[in-house]
Amino acid sequence: MLLTLDLDSEVPIYQQIRDRIVEAIADGALAEGSALPSTRHLGADLGINFHTVNKAYDLLRNQGFIRINRKTGAVVRRDTTSGPAEDGYADEWQERLRTLLAEAVVLGLEPREVTGRCETVLGSFAVKSGTRP
Amino acid sequence: MLLTLDLDSEVPIYQQIRDRIVEAIADGALAEGSALPSTRHLGADLGINFHTVNKAYDLLRNQGFIRINRKTGAVVRRDTTSGPAEDGYADEWQERLRTLLAEAVVLGLEPREVTGRCETVLGSFAVKSGTRP
Amino acid sequence: MLLTLDLDSEVPIYQQIRDRIVEAIADGALAEGSALPSTRHLGADLGINFHTVNKAYDLLRNQGFIRINRKTGAVVRRDTTSGPAEDGYADEWQERLRTLLAEAVVLGLEPREVTGRCETVLGSFAVKSGTRP
Amino acid sequence: MLLTLDLDSEVPIYQQIRDRIVEAIADGALAEGSALPSTRHLGADLGINFHTVNKAYDLLRNQGFIRINRKTGAVVRRDTTSGPAEDGYADEWQERLRTLLAEAVVLGLEPREVTGRCETVLGSFAVKSGTRP
DNA sequence: GTGGTCTAGACCACG
DNA sequence: GTGGTCTAGACCACA
């Protein structure tokens, strides 16, 4: 199974699909050029309406993660080797990171534990080892 | 101004209020015991309905960040010095961190940049430096 | 009718709804997985605003009794077979019990009557008979 | 100190005062005829407004626990030896008991634990040992 | 069709 | 003056 969903989560299903696929790309399970299942197929697999899958794929396309083509279906467009981020993206992303880290330190996680967990997560990804040319 | 909102964001207003307050606690602008503005007052300041502020405060209370008292209003209950996190919290939190970091590395941020930004953010917080006694 | 309310009571309506639903779960009328009426529907049935029902459901969710799902609405999450209580819950609960029992014995109920009524109430619930495996 | 309050509780202060005094009567710390502190005195002791104490005493009088006299102040009117309850009281009380017990069994307390805790609490009260004539 | 968000205004409880 | 409750209605997100 490509994905596992929590239908009772307050996170919308389409968002969960998006999140799991982004994570699958990050950890190397889906490399650039990989084909994603068809929306109808994945919807059937997950027991949800294919329109919901459609919305997730739309979101992934708008965010630059995949390419959608009527003939070939959805294909991974970026992975961790695909080149640098767009201008301004990192700063916008850091704002969200700031919110997430703030919650953790206020609720009692030590800074060293926070950085440790960041490194653990990064280590689980299939990231390139050196700098890009 | 305590808070700045983006009324056009798809993030709900009450969630933005919650996020900004958590960040303010993390960076030391709001220490344990600090009083928050009254819901009606803050609502007026921000140009929004006080019920929306109420919902944000309710959320903060349910998540353990503040306590609410009829006489004194809302008061910060936790800050970065308030003690360790609840069991299981860190693991649940790491799942959300994983999603956020995955997005960054796929969209082209180098791992070293990711960890650098984590440390930058943590450094901006008023975190305790050593282990707690 | 699922619920009967006393609109003249000083107990808030949303609290009454919460109490009646918890009781319905306890006595087996609502088993784990049962669907609750939609907020708008129940509000119409009871002649109250759906926001009030919403607040009751929110409370039930925060206390772990139900889960709420956009598609399926509110569903019972715990019943008497769902497993042991959280650490510390029983002691906090006993404080409330103490207050209630104190009132009864001072106002003239015999201890044997108090225990008898406790057992009567427990007997009316659909409680598991032995220890859990 | 006669009472300990939790100023951050969502239970109103006047209600907490009422509850603690009822418990003190139940466990024998306050026997019938005992004088309660003056409202101003108790308010000063607790660091709260004496009007709040006044409201608690009013409630206790309306519920039959104390007698208030301009000259002698507030005096305990009932204790566990004062005779049987009013007609209908026990049934109304049982409704509240039912709500409280329902919560416990749904949240995972075993029936035997519930009855055990009831008996523990009753055992802590200074209750008469036999039947009344 | 479901719940979620936001606005708005009234009245009450608390201290 | 503070938060809490309840009502009311509009619009949106989700599935």
Side-chain angles (χ1 to χ4, degrees):
Chain A
M1 179 80 71
L2 181 56
L3 308 174
T4 309
L5 297 180
D6 176 4
L7 297 178
D8 294 318
S9 165
E10 55 189 20
V11 180
I13 294 175
Y14 78 93
Q15 181 74 42
Q16 292 185 52
I17 297 173
R18 176 270 184 198
D19 289 346
R20 294 301 89 73
I21 289 178
V22 171
E23 289 166 17
I25 299 173
D27 68 22
L30 290 172
E32 186 178 335
S34 303
L36 267 54
S38 76
T39 53
R40 280 178 177 75
H41 196 123
L42 183 54
D45 269 12
L46 297 172
I48 60 176
N49 195 295
F50 79 93
H51 287 117
T52 305
V53 182
N54 231 322
K55 181 157 186 176
Y57 281 15
D58 247 39
L59 193 57
L60 286 162
R61 188 193 50 195
N62 288 335
Q63 296 176 335
F65 294 102
I66 66 174
R67 199 168 24 225
I68 297 179
N69 187 299
R70 189 167 302 176
K71 198 160 59 180
T72 60
V75 171
V76 175
R77 184 184 160 202
R78 285 194 67 98
D79 62 14
T80 58
T81 67
S82 300
E86 288 184 9
D87 272 2
Y89 168 72
D91 291 338
E92 179 273 326
W93 177 84
Q94 185 174 323
E95 287 302 307
R96 287 184 279 151
L97 176 70
R98 179 175 170 82
T99 302
L100 188 62
L101 297 191
E103 177 188 314
V105 299
V106 175
L107 290 183
L109 261 61
E110 300 275 353
R112 66 184 63 174
E113 171 139 28
V114 169
T115 48
R117 286 177 181 267
C118 285
E119 277 156 18
T120 301
V121 169
L122 286 172
S124 75
F125 294 152
V127 286
K128 58 270 175 197
S129 55
T131 56
R132 275 184 301 260
Chain B
M1 179 82 72
L2 181 57
L3 304 173
T4 308
L5 298 179
D6 175 6
L7 297 178
D8 296 326
S9 167
E10 58 187 10
V11 179
I13 295 175
Y14 76 91
Q15 181 73 44
Q16 293 183 50
I17 296 173
R18 177 268 183 202
D19 289 345
R20 293 301 88 74
I21 289 177
V22 171
E23 290 164 16
I25 298 173
D27 68 21
L30 290 172
E32 189 177 333
S34 304
L36 267 55
S38 80
T39 52
R40 282 166 173 84
H41 197 121
L42 183 54
D45 271 11
L46 297 171
I48 60 174
N49 194 282
F50 79 93
H51 284 120
T52 305
V53 181
N54 223 325
K55 181 157 186 176
Y57 281 16
D58 239 44
L59 192 59
L60 286 162
R61 180 180 53 186
N62 285 336
Q63 296 177 338
F65 293 104
I66 66 173
R67 56 181 173 237
I68 297 178
N69 184 297
R70 277 174 218 269
K71 188 162 64 175
T72 60
V75 170
V76 175
R77 183 181 162 198
R78 283 196 69 99
D79 62 14
T80 58
T81 66
S82 300
E86 288 187 7
D87 271 5
Y89 168 73
D91 291 337
E92 178 271 327
W93 177 83
Q94 187 174 323
E95 289 301 308
R96 287 184 279 151
L97 177 69
R98 180 177 169 83
T99 303
L100 188 63
L101 297 191
E103 178 190 314
V105 299
V106 174
L107 289 184
L109 261 61
E110 301 274 352
R112 66 184 60 176
E113 171 141 29
V114 169
T115 48
R117 284 177 182 267
C118 285
E119 277 155 19
T120 300
V121 170
L122 285 172
S124 75
F125 293 153
V127 287
K128 58 251 170 224
S129 54
T131 55
R132 273 182 298 263
Chain C
M1 179 81 70
L2 181 56
L3 303 174
T4 308
L5 298 179
D6 176 5
L7 297 179
D8 296 325
S9 166
E10 58 188 11
V11 180
I13 296 175
Y14 75 90
Q15 181 73 43
Q16 292 184 50
I17 296 174
R18 178 268 185 199
D19 289 346
R20 295 300 89 73
I21 289 177
V22 172
E23 289 164 16
I25 299 173
D27 68 20
L30 289 172
E32 188 179 332
S34 303
L36 267 54
S38 79
T39 52
R40 281 166 173 84
H41 197 121
L42 183 54
D45 271 10
L46 297 172
I48 60 174
N49 194 281
F50 80 93
H51 284 120
T52 305
V53 181
N54 223 323
K55 181 156 186 177
Y57 281 15
D58 239 45
L59 192 58
L60 286 163
R61 180 179 52 186
N62 285 336
Q63 296 177 338
F65 293 104
I66 65 173
R67 55 180 173 237
I68 297 178
N69 184 297
R70 277 174 219 270
K71 188 162 64 176
T72 61
V75 170
V76 175
R77 184 183 162 196
R78 283 195 69 100
D79 62 14
T80 58
T81 66
S82 300
E86 289 185 9
D87 271 5
Y89 169 73
D91 292 336
E92 178 272 326
W93 176 83
Q94 187 174 322
E95 289 302 307
R96 288 184 278 151
L97 177 69
R98 180 176 169 83
T99 302
L100 188 63
L101 297 191
E103 176 189 315
V105 299
V106 174
L107 290 184
L109 261 61
E110 300 276 351
R112 66 185 60 176
E113 171 139 28
V114 169
T115 49
R117 286 176 181 268
C118 284
E119 277 155 19
T120 301
V121 170
L122 285 172
S124 74
F125 294 152
V127 286
K128 58 251 171 224
S129 54
T131 55
R132 275 182 297 263
Chain D
M1 179 81 69
L2 181 58
L3 309 174
T4 309
L5 298 179
D6 176 3
L7 297 178
D8 294 317
S9 166
E10 54 190 21
V11 180
I13 293 175
Y14 78 93
Q15 181 73 43
Q16 292 184 52
I17 296 173
R18 177 268 184 200
D19 290 346
R20 293 302 89 73
I21 288 177
V22 172
E23 289 165 16
I25 299 173
D27 67 21
L30 290 172
E32 186 179 334
S34 305
L36 267 54
S38 76
T39 52
R40 282 179 174 75
H41 196 123
L42 183 54
D45 268 13
L46 297 171
I48 60 176
N49 194 296
F50 79 93
H51 287 117
T52 305
V53 183
N54 231 324
K55 181 157 187 176
Y57 281 14
D58 247 37
L59 193 59
L60 286 162
R61 189 192 51 195
N62 289 336
Q63 295 176 336
F65 293 102
I66 65 174
R67 200 168 24 226
I68 298 180
N69 186 298
R70 189 167 303 176
K71 201 161 56 181
T72 60
V75 170
V76 175
R77 182 183 161 202
R78 286 194 67 100
D79 63 14
T80 60
T81 67
S82 302
E86 290 184 7
D87 272 3
Y89 168 73
D91 290 338
E92 179 273 326
W93 177 81
Q94 187 174 322
E95 288 302 308
R96 286 184 279 150
L97 177 69
R98 181 176 170 80
T99 302
L100 189 62
L101 298 190
E103 177 189 315
V105 299
V106 175
L107 290 184
L109 260 61
E110 301 275 352
R112 66 185 60 176
E113 171 138 28
V114 169
T115 48
R117 285 177 182 267
C118 286
E119 278 155 18
T120 300
V121 169
L122 285 172
S124 75
F125 293 152
V127 286
K128 58 269 174 198
S129 55
T131 55
R132 275 183 301 258

